[in-house]
Amino acid sequence: MRNPRGIVVPALVLTAALLTGCSARSAMPARTPGPTATAETVVAPGAATVTENAKPGTRDWRVHKVGAEHEIEGYTDHVSVLPGESFQLFVSTTAKGYRVQAFRTGWYGGALAREVWASEHLTGVQQAPARIEAPTHTVIAPWKVSATVSTAGWPEGSYLLRLTSDSGAQRYVPITVRSASTAGKVVVLNGTTTWQAYNLWGGYSLYDGIGGYGNRSRAVAFDRPYDLDGAVKYMTYEQPAIVLAEKLGLSLAYETDNDLQGDSALLEGAKALAVLGHDEYWSTAMRDQTAKARDAGVNIAFLGANEVNRHIRFASTKLGKNRLVICYKDLDDPIGKKDPAEITIDWRLAEKPRPESDLTGVFYECNPVEAAYVVYEPKNWLFAGTGTRRGQRFPGMVGPEYDRVNPIVKTPRPIEVLAHSPLRCGSGASYADSAYYTVPSGAGVFAAGTMRWVCAMRGSGCGHGVTDAAKRFVEKVTETLLRAMAEGPVGTRHPAKDNVGQVKPFHGYPTFQGEDRD
């Protein structure tokens, strides 16, 4: 999170205006209803997940050699498709040829992916360079279609297309095969808007541009490849959690931020929504629909930090609807004259502020930080079976961004602080909090409060001093959380026990500085 001058704004002078909010909802198409169960059609919840993961996995699915810049790269004309639909693939390579493999993320006995499709050898073409569109510095890859790919026979899930050139260079292209119905399922949400916000392919993102922060993009398009290996954000903040959910055999539905924007009925009938390790950029429609679902009994798990912080709008590109993410991050947004409620400044900074804590329960504060995760309520139901005690520390688990319970801003009650981790960020002292709250509908909402929650599922492989003991702890808590949420409104069985007065969360506003790079 950065302010218009590029400085982190962890704490601004807050007023009573934070206790109110604004809302706007755009018209969206009707959702396909889930099937009606009968005595003949009832199957065990999660059976499809179990059956899929019983299939042989494919251990060779990772990118082994990225190669030189632009050696091979690609993107698709759809962020997600329904099973059986086709998508167009755009590929540019300096090699004479290449091939494509599609891998579905899952458990698969520890292989972690399964190859569901592979192309024939395709002729390579080096396509046109990036086009920068003024005045928003929007990067477009004006390429010709390389292949049309059918997803016939592909199960719902999160996929990585691996492009392999004749030279051996490889890149990923993510795509989601989304679910036609979320009824009765835990919805896994791919944080596609945040992936795109940080994407520097072509020299511009919502954070950087040629010439510095002032020349950053004000709108970023999905009509271009992702930078680096093509799936850095997915692999860091989402893949381990998806593997765990699949391993647990839960009844899962797969959707993206773009789908949450485009379908006003997407969460109707769902059991829970799992927002993964870093999903920062949310539109009005995304936020309103999620709050409505919570108030109808849909549980929510926020398995990261700095979630729902940025207000965005969507627009169309030549390739389709909702393929442009608009975020000015300041009051220069030209929509302000006709629709001030849609100015793309941080939700907390709007004329009628809607701090993210109103939905997540926790309030983003600062980065970068690295600290131990400290257990506060070991007897809470979510920590059952972990063997933890109050004050137990898990090194390195808090970072690089964190959230805390801040009773000064609008926060649902009752809310229970589960972990309360002291830290220093810049020159200030504060805490990172994991928290759990419940609402009258019976829905329960959990927020991890650290961006390293999902990474910790890799244990020592996460780095930063994270241990395998942290892996066991995080996986056990996440399993308990998701299993309970999959059964329905978890607050009816596990109401939050408000302990904010006991914890006495830090109320000050230290001056923090840093750059939001994670």
Side-chain angles (χ1 to χ4, degrees), residues 423-454:
L423 53 82
R424 293 194 66 85
C425 191
S427 60
S430 190
Y431 294 89
D433 295 323
S434 289
Y436 168 73
Y437 76 84
T438 50
V439 295
S441 69
V445 178
F446 169 80
T450 170
M451 202 179 285
R452 216 164 271 157
W453 185 269
V454 173

Side-chain angles (χ1 to χ4, degrees), residues 23 34 71 90 101 110 150 182 185 221 279 308 348 408 423 448 473 487 510:
S23 65
E71 193 166 347
F90 301 79
Q101 297 163 279
S150 170
T182 64
K185 299 178 181 179
D279 201 349
V308 201
R348 63 176 70 179
I408 292 177
L423 53 82
F473 168 76
E487 295 178 6

Side-chain angles (χ1 to χ4, degrees), residues 108-164:
Y108 300 109
L112 310 184
R114 179 173 77 88
E115 181 183 299
V116 299
W117 172 82
S119 73
E120 298 178 348
H121 186 265
L122 302 171
T123 301
V125 175
Q126 186 169 12
Q127 305 230 35
R131 184 176 73 233
I132 314 302
E133 297 186 344
T136 56
H137 294 136
T138 299
V139 180
I140 298 292
W143 295 353
K144 297 179 180 178
V145 177
S146 303
T148 299
V149 181
S150 170
T151 63
W154 296 23
E156 302 166 5
S158 292
Y159 284 78
L160 293 170
L161 308 178
R162 187 175 68 179
L163 312 177
T164 302

Side-chain angles (χ1 to χ4, degrees), residues 162-220:
R162 187 175 68 179
L163 312 177
T164 302
S165 71
D166 289 352
S167 64
Q170 296 177 320
R171 293 287 201 290
Y172 286 131
V173 179
I175 190 165
T176 300
V177 178
R178 70 179 184 271
S179 302
S181 173
T182 64
K185 299 178 181 179
V186 175
V187 181
V188 175
L189 189 69
N190 292 138
T192 45
T193 58
T194 300
W195 302 354
Q196 198 56 252
Y198 286 87
N199 182 13
L200 256 177
W201 190 91
Y204 292 87
S205 72
L206 290 180
Y207 294 87
D208 288 304
I210 298 171
Y213 180 77
N215 289 327
R216 69 192 184 279
S217 292
R218 271 62 175 178
V220 288

Side-chain angles (χ1 to χ4, degrees), residues 59-74:
R59 294 191 178 273
D60 179 18
W61 58 272
R62 298 182 183 273
V63 163
H64 302 293
K65 174 188 174 185
V66 172
E69 185 177 15
H70 307 310
E71 193 166 347
I72 190 164
E73 53 200 356

Side-chain angles (χ1 to χ4, degrees), residues 212-250:
Y213 180 77
N215 289 327
R216 69 192 184 279
S217 292
R218 271 62 175 178
V220 288
F222 287 89
D223 301 1
R224 59 173 177 159
Y226 289 105
D227 58 2
L228 303 175
D229 73 2
V232 170
K233 296 297 181 188
Y234 173 75
M235 290 297 294
T236 302
Y237 297 114
E238 303 192 12
Q239 182 261 358
I242 290 171
V243 167
L244 177 62
E246 294 253 329
K247 182 180 180 180
L248 296 177
L250 301 174

Side-chain angles (χ1 to χ4, degrees), residues 31 135 217 226 233 266 306-307 323 353 365 400 415 481 488 512:
R31 185 75 179 165
S217 292
Y226 289 105
K233 296 297 181 188
L266 186 137
N306 195 9
E307 315 268 36
R323 289 185 62 84
E365 190 164 80
I415 187 166
L481 173 71
F512 293 137

